Amino acid sequence: MPRSVALVTLGCARNEVDSEELAARLATAGWRLTDDADTADAVMVNTCGFVEAAKRDSIDTLLNAADDGRPVVAVGCLAERYGETLAKELPEIAVLGFDDYAAISERLDDVVAGRPLVPHTPRDRRTMLPITPTQRPAEVGDLGIPGHAGGPRTVLRRRLTADPVAPLKLASGCDRRCAFCAIPSFRGAFVSRPPDDIVNEAHWLADHGARELFLVSENSTSYGKDLGNLRLLEELLPRLAAVPGIARVRVSYLQPAELRPSLVDALCRGGGVAAYFDLSFQHASESVLRRMRRFGSTERFLDLLETIRAAAPAAGVRSNVIVGFPGETEADVDELERFLTGARLDAIGVFGYSDEDGTEAADLPGKIDPAAVADRVGRITSLAEELTAQRAEERVGEVAEVLIESAADGIVEGRAAHQAPEVDGSVTLRSAEAVTVGDLVPCRVIESAGVDLVAEPA
C-alpha cells in the first residue's frame, strides 16, 4: 500500500491554493492523500501565521496531530516565519519552509523514516524576490513561491474539495509597507503570475468542477506591475470569464488607494465578472491611516463607494477594520463609526490591534490598554452587525444570480455576486427542488436575517 498523508489547511484561500500544490506534488510522488488523520502515516499542517489567534490555532492543531506519536510536518506561513524557533519549541514537529515545497515528497520521506531535518531558517523574503520588470527573470519557478508552480502547459495542483468555487492565485507577496503587517517579510515582494498560466489553470479548474473562480493574492490591484502592465488585470478578467464552464469570476483583496477607474469599470460591467469589491480600508481616520502607512479618509472612501455604486448600484462591498492601533483616540473611533455608517458595506470584519513581530507598529508609542482595545472591538462589532443587517435588508426585492453550493435534505444554499465564500453570508433558496450544486440561478430576495438572505427562483 502507498504511504498516506493527511493534509490540514488553516488560514486563507491563498493557503488553500498552496495546499493543492502540495497535494499534487505528493500524489505525483506516490503518496496517498487521506482525510483521516487518525490512520495516516503522516500529517502535514499548512499553518497560518498572520495574527496571534491564527498562530495559536496553528500550534494547537500541530500539537493535537502529534498527540499519538504520528509524524507531523508544519508548512505554510507560521513555519516560514518562525522556522527555527518553532522547531526548537516543538521538537516533535518537523518544520519546512516554502523553499522545501519543490522537494516536499523527499522531505516527507525523511520525516517518516526518522531522519533528522535541518529546520527552515527564516529570511526576509522581500530581499529575495524580484519586484520590477527589469529584475524579474522570465521564469520564477525557482524562487520558491507557493502557488506559482506549473506554467502555460502544465498545472501542478490537485483539488482537495468538490466545491463549485475554487481559489485561483494571481500573485504572491506585497510591496506595501503597512506598519501593522508582517506578511511581506515572510511572503516576499509582489510577484505576479503570467496571465497565460492563470488562464490555463482556469481551464483546468473548470474541467475539475469549478464554476466560480475566486482570484486571490495579497494585493490584487498591483497585479501586472512587475510584468510591466498595471492594467493586466482588466485584460485578464474577460479571458477568465470566457473559459467554458466558468459562470462567475470574483476578485479579492483590493487596495482602495490603488483602485483605478479602469479596474472599477472592469469589475462593474458584468459579463461574468462579479461586481464585488473586497476593499482593505482598515480605518477611516486620516491620522490613524497615516500612522498605519496607508492613505485615505472618510470622504475619499465614501467618494470611491459612490463611484462604484454609480457604475453598479447592487455592487457588493466588504472590508476589514483595525481598532486600537497605537495612538488611536476616541475621536478617531468616532470617525470610523461615521465612515461605516455612511458606507453601507455588505460585510465588515473587525479586528483588535496587537503587536506583530518585526513590524513598525510594534515599536510605536501610544499603545492602548488591551481592555480598552477589547471595548472598542465590541463597540465597532456591534455597529458593524447592525449596519450589515440593514444593508442586507435593503437587498430584499433585488434579483440576484445565486451560485448553488449545497443542496441536501431539502435545504438549498448558495451565494450571490456580493457574497464571497465563507466570509460574507449566504443565500437560502426556497422552492428550488430542481437545482443542483454548481447551478447559477436567478433569484428574487424575499427576506434577510443578519447578513444572510432568503430567496426564491425568479
Side-chain angles (χ1 to χ4, degrees):
M1 290 290 292
R3 295 157 301 170
S4 61
V5 56
L7 185 54
V8 180
T9 305
L10 306 175
C12 65
R14 299 185 294 275
N15 257 17
E16 293 177 27
V17 178
D18 298 349
S19 285
E20 293 194 348
E21 176 192 327
L22 291 168
R25 292 184 182 278
L26 291 167
T28 300
W31 288 86
R32 180 173 61 87
L33 299 169
T34 176
D35 294 328
D36 188 357
D38 292 335
T39 61
D41 295 313
V43 178
M44 183 173 291
V45 181
N46 191 353
T47 60
C48 179
F50 180 40
V51 294
E52 193 60 36
K55 296 175 196 173
R56 288 197 300 269
D57 185 32
S58 293
I59 291 172
D60 288 345
T61 302
L62 289 166
L63 291 174
N64 289 337
D67 272 350
D68 59 3
R70 183 174 291 105
V72 177
V73 179
V75 295
C77 292
L78 189 74
E80 178 69 30
R81 188 177 180 187
Y82 296 106
E84 290 172 320
T85 301
L86 192 62
K88 181 178 179 180
E89 295 183 357
L90 302 176
E92 65 272 40
I93 307 295
V95 182
L96 302 176
F98 295 154
D99 290 335
D100 292 305
Y101 283 23
I104 195 65
S105 177
E106 292 89 335
R107 299 292 182 272
L108 192 54
D109 281 337
D110 291 336
V111 173
V112 172
R115 292 187 286 269
L117 290 178
V118 176
H120 164 69
T121 302
R123 294 172 289 173
D124 187 340
R125 291 179 65 85
R126 289 171 295 190
T127 65
M128 298 167 53
L129 304 179
I131 60 174
T132 69
T134 56
Q135 292 174 296
R136 180 189 172 111
E139 301 293 336
V140 296
D142 60 342
L143 295 172
I145 308 171
H148 288 235
R153 296 179 182 83
T154 61
V155 174
L156 191 54
R157 183 168 179 178
R158 179 188 177 106
R159 292 208 73 189
L160 296 174
T161 73
D163 294 343
V165 180
L168 175 56
K169 190 172 282 193
L170 284 173
S172 286
C174 185
D175 292 339
R176 299 183 70 89
R177 294 296 180 265
C178 300
F180 54 81
C181 184
I183 288 177
S185 66
F186 57 87
R187 278 287 183 179
F190 188 89
V191 179
S192 302
R193 295 182 65 199
D196 287 348
D197 292 11
I198 296 171
V199 173
N200 182 52
E201 189 165 321
H203 280 275
W204 183 89
L205 287 168
D207 290 342
H208 288 78
R211 293 280 283 146
E212 178 177 310
L213 302 176
F214 185 39
L215 306 185
V216 298
S217 72
E218 276 75 21
N219 177 9
S220 297
T221 37
S222 284
Y223 177 71
K225 72 174 186 178
D226 56 322
L227 297 173
N229 183 358
L230 194 52
R231 294 197 174 186
L232 202 55
L233 182 54
E234 291 96 302
E235 299 172 9
L236 177 63
L237 288 173
R239 293 181 64 188
L240 295 174
V243 171
I246 296 302
R248 189 159 64 199
V249 179
R250 182 188 306 277
V251 184
S252 64
Y253 305 110
L254 302 169
Q255 287 289 343
E258 298 179 23
L259 191 57
R260 51 202 174 272
S262 61
L263 183 53
V264 172
D265 178 66
L267 292 170
C268 290
R269 71 168 69 111
V273 177
Y276 176 79
F277 292 81
D278 177 7
L279 293 166
S280 176
F281 290 122
Q282 303 299 355
H283 213 284
S285 163
E286 285 189 84
S287 60
V288 173
L289 288 167
R290 283 197 298 270
R291 287 195 298 279
M292 287 180 168
R293 301 294 184 192
R294 297 179 65 85
F295 305 94
S297 65
T298 294
E299 280 66 32
R300 287 186 184 181
F301 292 160
L302 292 179
D303 286 346
L304 173 59
L305 293 174
E306 184 177 349
T307 298
I308 291 169
R309 287 171 176 144
V317 187
R318 84 163 332 269
S319 191
N320 296 321
V321 297
I322 298 172
V323 294
F325 192 79
E328 181 188 64
T329 65
E330 286 294 330
D332 294 326
V333 181
D334 291 342
E335 182 67 3
L336 178 58
E337 288 184 325
R338 183 171 80 89
F339 164 67
L340 294 176
T341 301
R344 296 171 55 235
L345 303 178
D346 291 279
I348 305 168
V350 183
F351 297 88
Y353 171 82
S354 61
D355 288 339
E356 280 294 316
D357 299 334
T359 62
E360 179 184 352
D363 297 322
L364 287 178
K367 295 292 172 57
I368 297 170
D369 182 80
V373 173
D375 286 344
R376 293 179 184 181
V377 169
R379 170 181 165 187
I380 298 300
T381 297
S382 295
L383 177 64
E385 290 174 350
E386 177 184 351
L387 294 172
T388 53
Q390 290 174 2
R391 179 67 184 123
E393 189 174 358
E394 290 175 4
R395 292 192 178 275
V396 173
E398 287 184 358
V399 174
E401 290 192 319
V402 177
L403 180 68
I404 306 304
E405 295 186 4
S406 65
D409 301 323
I411 300 174
V412 178
E413 288 192 290
R415 298 184 194 276
H418 72 279
Q419 296 170 318
E422 299 182 7
V423 293
D424 293 345
S426 63
V427 180
T428 300
L429 268 65
R430 292 182 181 168
S431 305
E433 293 80 4
V435 303
T436 60
V437 172
D439 287 348
L440 192 65
V441 182
C443 298
R444 185 174 300 280
V445 179
I446 57 174
E447 292 179 27
S448 67
V451 296
D452 298 322
L453 303 176
V454 178
E456 56 188 12

